Amino acid sequence: MSHNTPEHFHQQAKEALADKELRQNFRGAMDYLRGKRREAFPDADEEKAVRDRAEAIRQRCLSKLPDLLEKLEIQCQRNGIQVHWAQNSDEANALFSALAKKHQAKLIVKGKSMVSEEIGLNHHMEKQGVHCLESDMGEYIVQLDGDTPSHIIMPAIHKNKQQVSDTFEHNIRDFKPTTDVDELIKTGRKMLRQAYQDAEIGISGVNFPVAETGTLCLVENEGNGRMCTTIPDVHIAITGIEKVVEFLSDIPPLYSALTRSATGQNITTYFNMISGPRKDGELDGPKEVHLILLDNGRTQAYHDEELRKTLQCIRCGACMNHCPVYTRIGGHAYGTVYPGPIGKIISPHMMGLESTKSIITASSMCGACEEVCPVRIPIPSLLQRLRQEAKHKANDGHEALNGQDADNSNIEKIAMKGFAFAASHPSLYHNALSIARKMNGAIPKHLGNWTQCRVKPKLATTSLKTKIAKRNGSKK
């Protein structure tokens, strides 16, 4: 059960590393997902073309974001979709509360939505006496446990089959323990089926809102997204303002990049296009459709030309699956809704640098995340920028970020000034190195342990050196 916070990242990471079962669960899952992505992009040239196209679309749409949002609102309203704007989590939750009160809702069935996790919707609605039931299987499992998602596309990836069976045994009456995946899925489906009929409101996220047509596009594999957006009388969709795309023709390239990067699928089982409420004469569909557009720090990133690239994300999770930090500690250790590499660059805008200053340092800067990102977000360079902002006051021409200079350390500044002085005086620098070498035996044990896991490289043998020398001589 996770109630972690980003302020305690280092301790949480240490605990995760000590959890052998957790690490085994992630090891198997990450290996599987990386393999699926490789299979989805067998041709390097095609992969490059897909990523180039997706990157270009996202950058074009972001460059026109204010205009596209206005156009999206107009087109949605023409289609009968009611549009609402929320500056932050409190405003978004207030909108949900007002709509639930208007429709006297007691049960809400919810499809997978990371933005609703971001605003803490479930907890807020429970305080209002309204139960939000998660219908995505992974979300349903972690909800039964009182847990939180550990991955943006596979919420329960930190659990194995036995742990899921234990969760069902503790929470579902008459459940017979089993590790058969089909039986586990069947159990969850049976428990959720009636909820679609009973719920007064259905909630979903939105993968791609289309400004040109006022269409809300949802990507899913389980069918729960389609059920919760069509069966209840009211459908409320919530999305971040950055997700909007300009044209309907932008969707196929982004869709291909998303599914292949996320789960290695050429296409998902369901692709939903919602363009309005039920019309006269139609037999199904909601009577009302609402769209909530959430800012929650996104505007801060948008106003900075470099940091704006953060908003290109299409939430595939590929960066997490290939990150050597995330794959070893999982998502809960970060203490943020969005974990892993993408979480490290988006969370500071949502939560401020003061509370996220530890997680922006949780990177080896290996570049694996950037290499697999389908929209080519330069995550390592953005992390370097955020680290700079956390240590210093804003430079001229840049607006101060939320929590700017929060990780400022006078001791560190003095140390760096001392190093700079020594490095600019060769004799002093070399004398310091000589002293450091002689004091090697005095290094604290916990620091010395770092060198014990590193293997000293083998030096070339005399015969090998001779061969290389002869080969070089013959080329002259």
Side-chain angles (χ1 to χ4, degrees):
M1 193 175 298
S2 173
H3 300 289
N4 293 344
T5 63
E7 292 90 343
H8 300 101
F9 169 75
H10 294 294
Q11 180 58 34
Q12 289 154 190
K14 184 177 180 180
E15 292 170 0
L17 287 171
D19 188 333
K20 293 183 179 180
E21 187 173 34
L22 178 71
R23 295 194 67 183
Q24 184 176 2
N25 292 348
F26 269 95
R27 178 76 278 154
M30 297 297 100
D31 286 347
Y32 172 78
L33 289 170
R34 286 200 295 268
K36 294 292 288 183
R37 185 190 177 279
R38 282 194 301 270
E39 293 171 5
F41 289 110
D43 183 270
D45 291 335
E46 186 205 10
E47 179 188 2
K48 181 181 182 301
V50 169
R51 296 176 70 203
D52 287 346
R53 182 84 183 277
E55 178 190 22
I57 291 172
R58 291 301 294 135
Q59 289 187 347
R60 166 170 50 81
C61 295
L62 285 172
S63 71
K64 304 177 180 180
L65 184 59
D67 292 337
L68 292 185
L69 287 169
E70 289 185 10
K71 187 173 182 180
L72 174 68
E73 180 180 31
I74 292 170
Q75 291 301 118
C76 283
Q77 289 174 341
R78 285 177 180 171
N79 294 342
I81 298 174
Q82 301 177 50
V83 180
H84 312 268
W85 300 81
Q87 182 71 27
N88 50 43
S89 298
D90 290 341
E91 290 186 11
N93 283 323
L95 287 167
F96 278 106
S97 294
L99 289 169
K101 184 177 181 180
K102 174 185 174 183
H103 294 282
Q104 299 181 331
K106 293 298 179 185
L107 175 63
I108 291 175
V109 64
K110 185 157 74 73
K112 190 172 180 302
S113 167
M114 290 306 296
V115 179
S116 70
E117 294 281 350
E118 179 185 327
I119 65 173
L121 178 64
N122 291 7
H123 297 295
H124 174 80
M125 296 308 294
E126 289 290 347
K127 293 177 182 177
Q128 313 299 314
V130 182
H131 179 53
C132 279
L133 179 64
E134 298 286 353
S135 64
D136 174 88
M137 188 57 63
E139 292 272 6
Y140 175 66
I141 291 167
V142 297
Q143 185 180 39
L144 286 179
D145 263 347
D147 206 350
T148 56
S150 60
H151 194 285
I152 61 176
I153 63 167
M154 285 162 287
I157 199 169
H158 55 291
K159 293 182 178 292
N160 57 38
K161 292 180 289 186
Q162 183 59 57
Q163 290 171 318
V164 173
S165 177
D166 293 342
T167 294
F168 282 1
E169 184 180 6
H170 295 150
N171 293 280
I172 298 176
R173 184 182 299 175
D174 300 327
F175 171 76
K176 295 180 179 179
T178 178
T179 56
D180 182 273
V181 174
D182 290 338
E183 287 299 317
L184 292 171
I185 296 297
K186 197 179 296 182
T187 298
R189 185 186 298 126
K190 180 181 178 182
M191 298 302 297
L192 291 167
R193 181 68 61 170
Q194 188 59 41
Y196 297 115
Q197 299 288 344
D198 297 339
E200 294 88 1
I201 295 175
I203 291 176
S204 76
V206 184
N207 290 95
F208 308 112
V210 185
E212 177 186 31
T213 59
T215 306
L216 311 181
C217 300
L218 280 71
V219 180
E220 53 149 335
N221 274 314
E222 299 176 14
N224 62 308
R226 183 163 296 183
M227 300 276 270
C228 69
T229 60
T230 56
I231 297 178
D233 283 341
V234 180
H235 168 212
I236 307 173
I238 181 169
T239 187
I241 56 174
E242 82 282 13
K243 290 287 195 69
V244 63
V245 298
E246 187 171 9
F247 304 118
L248 198 59
S249 59
D250 291 330
I251 299 298
L254 291 176
Y255 185 32
S256 176
L258 170 61
T259 58
R260 294 162 81 178
S261 298
T263 54
Q265 296 173 275
N266 289 327
I267 190 170
T268 49
T269 309
Y270 296 91
F271 183 76
N272 306 302
M273 301 176 71
I274 298 167
S275 55
R278 181 193 309 184
K279 296 179 176 60
D280 292 340
E282 292 183 340
L283 300 179
D284 58 15
K287 295 176 182 177
E288 288 185 21
V289 178
H290 298 261
L291 172 63
I292 298 176
L293 295 167
L294 178 69
D295 183 344
N296 204 33
R298 290 163 173 83
T299 297
Q300 174 177 274
Y302 179 79
H303 284 320
D304 186 289
E305 190 173 344
E306 181 182 17
L307 298 177
R308 182 183 300 177
K309 295 175 183 177
T310 303
L311 304 180
Q312 292 173 201
C313 180
I314 56 176
R315 303 293 191 270
C316 69
C319 62
M320 300 159 64
N321 304 339
H322 292 76
C323 174
V325 177
Y326 176 89
T327 56
R328 284 159 179 78
I329 64 175
H332 288 151
Y334 293 85
T336 54
V337 171
Y338 302 100
I342 185 58
K344 286 180 285 194
I345 61 172
I346 190 65
S347 299
H349 299 292
M350 298 174 176
M351 306 173 69
L353 280 166
E354 187 171 5
S355 62
T356 58
K357 60 188 178 184
S358 292
I359 65 171
I360 61 176
T361 65
S363 173
S364 66
M365 292 293 183
C366 66
C369 50
E370 185 175 1
E371 289 178 10
V372 298
C373 176
V375 290
R376 299 189 187 280
I377 301 174
I379 295 177
S381 64
L382 294 179
L383 279 174
Q384 289 179 324
R385 168 70 188 282
L386 290 170
R387 292 177 184 182
Q388 176 77 11
E389 302 297 341
K391 296 284 186 184
H392 306 281
K393 296 186 183 300
N395 292 329
D396 292 341
H398 289 108
E399 291 185 19
L401 302 183
N402 182 11
Q404 181 86 36
D405 200 27
D407 203 20
N408 185 353
S409 168
N410 289 328
I411 294 176
E412 186 175 322
K413 283 183 177 180
I414 293 170
M416 292 307 295
K417 285 181 179 179
F419 174 78
F421 181 80
S424 60
H425 295 76
S427 59
L428 178 61
Y429 183 76
H430 290 298
N431 286 335
L433 286 180
S434 177
I435 294 171
R437 280 193 292 269
K438 293 176 181 178
M439 293 179 63
N440 187 49
I443 294 176
K445 185 178 180 181
H446 69 280
L447 294 177
N449 287 341
W450 181 80
T451 62
Q452 294 177 9
C453 65
R454 299 178 65 84
V455 180
K456 183 178 180 181
K458 293 182 179 179
L459 299 176
T461 62
T462 303
S463 58
L464 182 57
K465 289 179 181 177
T466 303
K467 289 179 182 178
I468 293 173
K470 286 181 178 179
R471 190 188 316 140
N472 291 338
S474 65
K475 290 180 180 180
K476 293 180 180 178

